[in-house]
Amino acid sequence: AAAMTAIALDPLAGEPHASLGDILFHYDWDWAAAERELDEGVRLAPAFATAYQWASEAQLLKGDREGALARLRQARAIDPLSMIVRTSLANVLGLLGRREQAVTELREAITLDPIFVRTRRELALQLLALGRTDEALAEARKLAEIAPDNLPSMAVLGLCLGRSGHATEARMLLKKLDGEKGKPFVSSLELARIAAGVEDRNLTLQYLQRAVEAREGFLPFIGGDEEFAFLREDSRYQAIARTIGIGEGRGTPVSVGE
């Protein structure tokens, strides 16, 4: 509502268009409208690095990873110190199979801000995808020390524990986090990552379904999340993907009515 009000007051301001596009993407799952608003945000505010970062997500969902990388390189050129831009760039490099390059990008970013949790989280995930499980777990443990109250950080620790052979510890962590009823919101998507770490198919799918019912904002990216790869042939996962509006593969949208 605030973004639409801002657009009504000044239709030529790019930032509100970009903000509306980001909302349409993450919470309405209206890909066409989101892309239209994000592109308008980039056009009207060419010096607003965040607009390029958000627009890269729409490119990614279409399966255009090179296009997403190009957007993020534009964003980094505008704001080379932005941690979220550099983290997003590394994520796309990983999706393109250039994981060593992604790790280098992340390690360089960490020298700028050693406690930015999204960057350390992405580093642990990239190391895990490379099969360097001991290094991934070490990074995840550092992350948990830095941000013990941050659920996405703890979820990455649980995922790395499960994938590195510490299933009992991972399940104990999952039980603890799922039992934190006093918190206003506990992301089922993040709990699903821990369940995926121990490859508990039924539990992972249960959490993902709960995340769908809550319309969690990061669900559109599950098609590219390596931890859920073991589910992709499961008809229940495919149904979840169709509900979100993404393909059963990685980053491929499903057309309306499919």
Side-chain angles (χ1 to χ4, degrees):
M4 294 180 72
T5 300
I7 290 169
L9 291 171
D10 186 357
L12 297 180
E15 290 87 346
H17 283 283
S19 295
L20 177 58
D22 192 53
I23 292 165
L24 289 166
F25 182 95
H26 283 281
Y27 300 103
D28 287 8
W29 302 342
D30 186 339
W31 319 126
E35 185 174 17
R36 185 168 59 249
E37 292 296 333
L38 290 165
D39 285 346
E40 190 70 351
V42 169
R43 185 180 72 83
L44 293 171
F48 183 40
T50 302
Y52 293 86
Q53 182 227 326
W54 288 343
S56 75
E57 295 176 349
Q59 295 294 111
L60 202 57
L61 198 72
K62 292 196 303 183
D64 183 7
R65 295 174 182 172
E66 290 290 352
L69 185 63
R71 289 283 201 193
L72 288 163
R73 282 181 168 152
Q74 288 175 299
R76 189 176 63 173
I78 295 166
D79 187 358
L81 299 181
S82 169
M83 294 294 287
I84 190 60
V85 166
R86 297 190 69 159
T87 303
S88 298
L89 191 150
N91 173 261
V92 175
L93 286 171
L95 290 171
L96 286 165
R98 293 151 65 178
R99 295 197 184 276
E100 293 290 357
Q101 193 175 340
V103 168
T104 298
E105 177 73 26
L106 292 164
R107 292 200 189 280
E108 288 177 359
I110 287 169
T111 65
L112 300 174
D113 186 348
I115 61 171
F116 190 75
V117 296
R118 291 269 303 260
T119 305
R120 285 198 171 273
R121 181 173 181 265
E122 186 65 32
L123 177 57
L125 291 170
Q126 293 296 336
L127 290 169
L128 193 64
L130 282 166
R132 291 154 62 177
T133 53
D134 289 345
E135 287 181 72
L137 181 56
E139 287 294 337
R141 289 196 189 279
K142 286 181 197 173
L143 179 60
E145 290 175 6
I146 291 167
D149 296 321
N150 179 264
L151 180 57
S153 299
M154 299 307 292
V156 166
L157 173 59
L159 171 61
C160 291
L161 284 167
R163 292 292 165 89
S164 59
H166 301 278
T168 300
E169 191 178 349
R171 288 187 182 276
M172 288 175 62
L173 178 61
L174 177 57
K175 184 177 179 180
K176 175 180 178 291
L177 294 172
D178 197 11
E180 292 183 339
K181 303 301 183 186
K183 292 194 173 182
F185 174 71
V186 176
S187 166
S188 294
L189 174 57
E190 298 305 332
L191 298 180
R193 297 189 201 283
I194 305 177
V198 295
E199 296 201 357
D200 187 327
R201 181 179 297 267
N202 290 332
L203 188 57
T204 305
L205 288 163
Q206 286 174 27
Y207 282 128
L208 287 177
Q209 184 57 47
R210 284 190 211 170
V212 169
E213 291 163 6
R215 294 189 78 85
E216 292 194 26
F218 285 92
L219 274 170
F221 299 114
I222 64 171
D225 290 340
E226 288 291 333
E227 57 266 34
F228 301 125
F230 75 108
L231 297 175
R232 290 193 184 121
E233 301 303 316
D234 192 303
S235 61
R236 294 169 294 174
Y237 171 84
Q238 292 167 5
I240 287 169
R242 286 194 295 272
T243 299
I244 300 166
I246 61 174
E248 290 116 24
R250 296 145 60 86
T252 306
V254 169
S255 300
V256 174
E258 262 189 81

